[in-house]
Structures are given as structure tokens and as C-alpha cells.
Amino acid sequence: MKVEFRKVPNIAKEFKISLNSVNFLGTFSRISNKLVRIDAQIEGNYPVECCKCGKEFAVNIDEKHIFTVSDGIFSSHDERENEIIIEIDDHIINFEDILNSELESLNSEYHICNDCATSDNFVDIEI
Ligand SMILES: [Zn+2]
């Protein structure tokens, strides 16, 4: 789902996309001529690799995020807490891209499958 930046309404509009078994849904609205806010929930099952045995297994995701999309370079004056800033340079908000980058950051975390989590020779993992 792609939305042209200048077409984002001032009143919160609902969106929902799905990628594999992950849903990305919520509302988006314009907060200024350069900024759009996305109140989003990410939910579903996402396959990750166990960092111990390499087995693929699904983790349950249920996260809420606030994204601020900046049309062009984001000025840090506008920064608020707990927001994820996304800068776009083509005036198009691509919801799949936003979801993908969130899932990628999930991928880069450590995950341990149930088998390894319950095994006796558990090794501490530095995070
Ligand atoms: Zn494992």
C-alpha cells in the first residue's frame, strides 16, 4: 500500500495491510505539511531463526508503534519520545517498506526456540 504524501488527510484514516502472517494496521494522519503520523499495531506470527540451533520457528508479535514520517530530512526539533522517525525522499509513503524494516529489526534480535530454551545446557547470551 502506497500513499502520496500530499494526499494524506488531516483526519486519521484507517489502514491495514498483511504480509505473510503479519498484520500491520492502525491509522495515519497529517500533522504538518512535512510530517505524517502513523499509529500502528503489528500483530501476527513471524518466522525467525533460533540463534543456538538455527531452526526456524515463529514468534508471536503484538507491538504498538508510533511512526513519524518526514517528507524529506527530519528536523530533530520536532522529535518526541517513543516515536520512530522515517524519512522519505520520494513523497510516497510505502506501508510495506515500513513493516519490512520493522520485521528486519526483529530479525536482528536474538531468538531462542523452545527446544533450546528448555535444554539443560543453556548458554547465556550477551545482549
Ligand atoms: Zn534452538
Side-chain angles (χ1 to χ4, degrees):
M1 181 179 142
K2 290 180 183 174
V3 178
E4 249 185 277
F5 200 95
R6 61 185 180 86
K7 289 186 178 166
V8 173
N10 295 315
I11 300 159
K13 189 173 159 55
E14 288 188 4
F15 71 95
K16 182 179 179 182
I17 61 164
S18 297
L19 218 62
N20 302 320
S21 5
V22 178
N23 294 318
F24 184 44
L25 66 156
T27 61
F28 64 101
S29 59
R30 176 187 299 281
I31 44 182
S32 76
N33 63 341
K34 287 278 176 197
L35 296 176
V36 162
R37 174 189 163 115
I38 303 174
D39 277 275
Q41 191 172 354
I42 301 173
E43 55 177 32
N45 292 304
Y46 185 67
V48 293
E49 230 175 58
C50 173
C51 63
K52 290 188 73 188
C53 69
K55 192 174 81 180
E56 198 174 83
F57 66 105
V59 286
N60 189 41
I61 316 170
D62 187 5
E63 295 178 7
K64 280 191 160 76
H65 291 301
I66 299 166
F67 299 95
T68 300
V69 183
S70 172
D71 189 20
I73 304 291
F74 180 75
S75 154
S76 55
H77 299 292
D78 299 324
E79 192 156 6
R80 275 167 290 239
E81 265 181 75
N82 301 321
E83 280 180 333
I84 300 169
I85 310 299
I86 298 162
E87 290 175 345
I88 54 169
D89 51 20
D90 54 1
H91 315 294
I92 305 277
I93 303 171
N94 185 330
F95 286 79
E96 277 86 2
D97 278 357
I98 297 171
L99 177 58
N100 270 327
S101 68
E102 278 308 296
L103 293 176
E104 270 169 31
S105 70
L106 195 77
N107 240 339
S108 63
E109 292 169 15
Y110 287 108
H111 300 280
I112 298 174
C113 74
N114 277 335
D115 294 344
C116 294
T118 53
S119 87
D120 288 332
N121 44 9
F122 183 83
V123 180
D124 278 339
I125 291 150
E126 281 181 53
I127 296 171

